[in-house]
Amino acid sequence: MPPKFDPTAITYVYLRVTGGEVGATASLAPKIGPLGLSPKKIGDDIAKNTQEWKGLRITVELKIQNRQATVSVVPSASSLVIKALREPPRDRKKQKNSEYFFWSGLASHPA
């Protein structure tokens, strides 16, 4: 028999996703399915909370307590640099293997 469900237990799940996009539910299901959460609902929540990081690969932290998930963004250094340079969002389906920033713009950017 499985152990009793503890409503006060907090579980953290870290995922690497593309901002502003609903990820594949097949990749979410093995991670959050055993916790009793719907992968489709969590994917929609992630897409909604990562709209300002549209097109960038970022790490997302899911804090799960009592079968309720809260989504928070944990940006990496590279995504912060790209966001600070105000690069236009990249469409992954149309634009392949592009260089994101230009080093001349990085050198002249104020810190």
Side-chain angles (χ1 to χ4, degrees):
M1 193 163 126
K4 286 189 69 145
F5 176 69
D6 184 13
T8 60
I10 297 174
T11 306
Y12 292 96
V13 178
Y14 293 91
L15 303 167
R16 189 100 167 119
V17 298
T18 303
E21 295 182 12
V22 178
T25 56
S27 64
L28 287 174
K31 296 175 182 75
I32 62 174
L35 300 172
L37 298 170
S38 166
K40 184 170 178 4
K41 182 182 175 301
I42 298 298
D44 293 339
D45 289 346
I46 290 172
K48 185 173 60 174
N49 288 336
T50 59
Q51 279 301 320
E52 64 183 64
W53 299 91
K54 192 168 181 69
L56 296 176
R57 294 280 293 169
I58 53 171
T59 304
V60 173
E61 176 189 69
L62 296 175
K63 179 183 174 187
I64 302 165
Q65 182 178 16
N66 198 14
R67 292 186 59 194
Q68 298 293 319
T70 56
V71 179
S72 59
V73 176
V74 184
S76 63
S78 61
S79 59
L80 286 172
V81 167
I82 292 169
K83 189 174 179 185
L85 289 174
R86 294 183 186 89
E87 289 289 324
R90 179 174 77 100
D91 186 4
R92 294 186 305 134
K93 294 184 175 105
K94 293 179 184 172
Q95 191 177 2
K96 301 284 184 186
N97 299 327
S98 72
E99 298 264 335
Y100 243 119
F101 30 53
F102 303 101
W103 289 106
S104 60
L106 184 62
S108 65
H109 194 293

